[in-house]
PDB file of all heavy atoms in Angstrom:
ATOM      1  N   PRO A 646       4.739 -29.289  -8.411  1.00  0.00           N
ATOM      2  CA  PRO A 646       5.603 -28.303  -9.018  1.00  0.00           C
ATOM      3  C   PRO A 646       5.551 -28.264 -10.535  1.00  0.00           C
ATOM      4  O   PRO A 646       6.161 -27.413 -11.150  1.00  0.00           O
ATOM      5  CB  PRO A 646       6.999 -28.736  -8.543  1.00  0.00           C
ATOM      6  CG  PRO A 646       6.892 -30.187  -8.284  1.00  0.00           C
ATOM      7  CD  PRO A 646       5.488 -30.403  -7.811  1.00  0.00           C
ATOM      8  N   GLY A 647       4.797 -29.137 -11.162  1.00  0.00           N
ATOM      9  CA  GLY A 647       4.714 -29.097 -12.619  1.00  0.00           C
ATOM     10  C   GLY A 647       5.108 -30.431 -13.214  1.00  0.00           C
ATOM     11  O   GLY A 647       5.356 -31.407 -12.519  1.00  0.00           O
ATOM     12  N   ARG A 648       5.226 -30.450 -14.555  1.00  0.00           N
ATOM     13  CA  ARG A 648       5.520 -31.684 -15.263  1.00  0.00           C
ATOM     14  C   ARG A 648       6.916 -32.182 -14.904  1.00  0.00           C
ATOM     15  O   ARG A 648       7.910 -31.486 -15.070  1.00  0.00           O
ATOM     16  CB  ARG A 648       5.442 -31.432 -16.778  1.00  0.00           C
ATOM     17  CG  ARG A 648       5.666 -32.708 -17.618  1.00  0.00           C
ATOM     18  CD  ARG A 648       5.529 -32.379 -19.096  1.00  0.00           C
ATOM     19  NE  ARG A 648       6.487 -31.375 -19.513  1.00  0.00           N
ATOM     20  CZ  ARG A 648       7.735 -31.658 -19.898  1.00  0.00           C
ATOM     21  NH1 ARG A 648       8.171 -32.906 -19.862  1.00  0.00           N
ATOM     22  NH2 ARG A 648       8.543 -30.692 -20.277  1.00  0.00           N
ATOM     23  N   ASP A 649       6.970 -33.406 -14.368  1.00  0.00           N
ATOM     24  CA  ASP A 649       8.203 -34.048 -13.957  1.00  0.00           C
ATOM     25  C   ASP A 649       8.958 -33.247 -12.905  1.00  0.00           C
ATOM     26  O   ASP A 649      10.141 -33.450 -12.678  1.00  0.00           O
ATOM     27  CB  ASP A 649       9.137 -34.278 -15.158  1.00  0.00           C
ATOM     28  CG  ASP A 649       8.522 -35.226 -16.161  1.00  0.00           C
ATOM     29  OD1 ASP A 649       7.740 -36.103 -15.720  1.00  0.00           O
ATOM     30  OD2 ASP A 649       8.803 -35.094 -17.360  1.00  0.00           O
ATOM     31  N   GLY A 650       8.263 -32.293 -12.262  1.00  0.00           N
ATOM     32  CA  GLY A 650       8.916 -31.497 -11.228  1.00  0.00           C
ATOM     33  C   GLY A 650       9.830 -30.439 -11.775  1.00  0.00           C
ATOM     34  O   GLY A 650      10.459 -29.721 -11.031  1.00  0.00           O
ATOM     35  N   VAL A 651      10.014 -30.299 -13.102  1.00  0.00           N
ATOM     36  CA  VAL A 651      10.908 -29.324 -13.696  1.00  0.00           C
ATOM     37  C   VAL A 651      10.224 -28.697 -14.887  1.00  0.00           C
ATOM     38  O   VAL A 651       9.740 -29.392 -15.766  1.00  0.00           O
ATOM     39  CB  VAL A 651      12.226 -29.978 -14.157  1.00  0.00           C
ATOM     40  CG1 VAL A 651      13.119 -28.949 -14.810  1.00  0.00           C
ATOM     41  CG2 VAL A 651      12.935 -30.647 -12.988  1.00  0.00           C
ATOM     42  N   SER A 652      10.121 -27.381 -14.900  1.00  0.00           N
ATOM     43  CA  SER A 652       9.529 -26.722 -16.043  1.00  0.00           C
ATOM     44  C   SER A 652      10.518 -25.859 -16.789  1.00  0.00           C
ATOM     45  O   SER A 652      10.212 -25.370 -17.854  1.00  0.00           O
ATOM     46  CB  SER A 652       8.349 -25.842 -15.588  1.00  0.00           C
ATOM     47  OG  SER A 652       8.807 -24.858 -14.682  1.00  0.00           O
ATOM     48  N   ALA A 653      11.688 -25.630 -16.227  1.00  0.00           N
ATOM     49  CA  ALA A 653      12.704 -24.848 -16.929  1.00  0.00           C
ATOM     50  C   ALA A 653      14.064 -25.200 -16.361  1.00  0.00           C
ATOM     51  O   ALA A 653      14.192 -25.588 -15.214  1.00  0.00           O
ATOM     52  CB  ALA A 653      12.452 -23.355 -16.767  1.00  0.00           C
ATOM     53  N   GLY A 654      15.081 -25.068 -17.165  1.00  0.00           N
ATOM     54  CA  GLY A 654      16.444 -25.342 -16.698  1.00  0.00           C
ATOM     55  C   GLY A 654      17.451 -24.792 -17.665  1.00  0.00           C
ATOM     56  O   GLY A 654      17.129 -24.466 -18.792  1.00  0.00           O
ATOM     57  N   THR A 655      18.633 -24.693 -17.204  1.00  0.00           N
ATOM     58  CA  THR A 655      19.716 -24.210 -18.055  1.00  0.00           C
ATOM     59  C   THR A 655      21.007 -24.878 -17.637  1.00  0.00           C
ATOM     60  O   THR A 655      21.095 -25.442 -16.552  1.00  0.00           O
ATOM     61  CB  THR A 655      19.858 -22.676 -17.948  1.00  0.00           C
ATOM     62  OG1 THR A 655      20.827 -22.250 -18.884  1.00  0.00           O
ATOM     63  CG2 THR A 655      20.325 -22.262 -16.550  1.00  0.00           C
ATOM     64  N   GLU A 656      22.009 -24.844 -18.515  1.00  0.00           N
ATOM     65  CA  GLU A 656      23.303 -25.410 -18.205  1.00  0.00           C
ATOM     66  C   GLU A 656      24.308 -24.299 -18.003  1.00  0.00           C
ATOM     67  O   GLU A 656      24.273 -23.279 -18.677  1.00  0.00           O
ATOM     68  CB  GLU A 656      23.793 -26.315 -19.348  1.00  0.00           C
ATOM     69  CG  GLU A 656      22.979 -27.596 -19.468  1.00  0.00           C
ATOM     70  CD  GLU A 656      23.731 -28.649 -20.239  1.00  0.00           C
ATOM     71  OE1 GLU A 656      24.906 -28.415 -20.542  1.00  0.00           O
ATOM     72  OE2 GLU A 656      23.149 -29.676 -20.539  1.00  0.00           O
ATOM     73  N   THR A 657      25.175 -24.507 -17.051  1.00  0.00           N
ATOM     74  CA  THR A 657      26.240 -23.528 -16.862  1.00  0.00           C
ATOM     75  C   THR A 657      27.298 -23.736 -17.932  1.00  0.00           C
ATOM     76  O   THR A 657      27.267 -24.702 -18.688  1.00  0.00           O
ATOM     77  CB  THR A 657      26.896 -23.710 -15.478  1.00  0.00           C
ATOM     78  OG1 THR A 657      27.609 -24.935 -15.481  1.00  0.00           O
ATOM     79  CG2 THR A 657      25.869 -23.708 -14.377  1.00  0.00           C
ATOM     80  N   SER A 658      28.265 -22.832 -17.958  1.00  0.00           N
ATOM     81  CA  SER A 658      29.342 -22.931 -18.931  1.00  0.00           C
ATOM     82  C   SER A 658      30.207 -24.152 -18.700  1.00  0.00           C
ATOM     83  O   SER A 658      30.973 -24.537 -19.544  1.00  0.00           O
ATOM     84  CB  SER A 658      30.223 -21.684 -18.867  1.00  0.00           C
ATOM     85  OG  SER A 658      30.774 -21.552 -17.584  1.00  0.00           O
ATOM     86  N   GLU A 659      30.158 -24.763 -17.525  1.00  0.00           N
ATOM     87  CA  GLU A 659      30.943 -25.946 -17.216  1.00  0.00           C
ATOM     88  C   GLU A 659      30.162 -27.222 -17.506  1.00  0.00           C
ATOM     89  O   GLU A 659      30.621 -28.310 -17.223  1.00  0.00           O
ATOM     90  CB  GLU A 659      31.355 -25.928 -15.740  1.00  0.00           C
ATOM     91  CG  GLU A 659      32.234 -24.748 -15.389  1.00  0.00           C
ATOM     92  CD  GLU A 659      32.545 -24.708 -13.910  1.00  0.00           C
ATOM     93  OE1 GLU A 659      31.908 -25.470 -13.180  1.00  0.00           O
ATOM     94  OE2 GLU A 659      33.408 -23.924 -13.515  1.00  0.00           O
ATOM     95  N   GLY A 660      28.998 -27.095 -18.083  1.00  0.00           N
ATOM     96  CA  GLY A 660      28.245 -28.279 -18.450  1.00  0.00           C
ATOM     97  C   GLY A 660      27.469 -28.875 -17.316  1.00  0.00           C
ATOM     98  O   GLY A 660      26.927 -29.971 -17.436  1.00  0.00           O
ATOM     99  N   GLU A 661      27.355 -28.223 -16.168  1.00  0.00           N
ATOM    100  CA  GLU A 661      26.636 -28.763 -15.031  1.00  0.00           C
ATOM    101  C   GLU A 661      25.240 -28.168 -14.995  1.00  0.00           C
ATOM    102  O   GLU A 661      25.036 -26.996 -15.308  1.00  0.00           O
ATOM    103  CB  GLU A 661      27.382 -28.413 -13.736  1.00  0.00           C
ATOM    104  CG  GLU A 661      28.755 -29.066 -13.657  1.00  0.00           C
ATOM    105  CD  GLU A 661      29.472 -28.608 -12.401  1.00  0.00           C
ATOM    106  OE1 GLU A 661      28.944 -27.739 -11.709  1.00  0.00           O
ATOM    107  OE2 GLU A 661      30.542 -29.133 -12.135  1.00  0.00           O
TER     108      GLU A 661
END
Side-chain angles (χ1 to χ4, degrees):
R648 183 178 59 86
D649 297 330
V651 178
S652 60
T655 186
E656 291 199 7
T657 69
S658 60
E659 298 176 349
E661 296 176 354

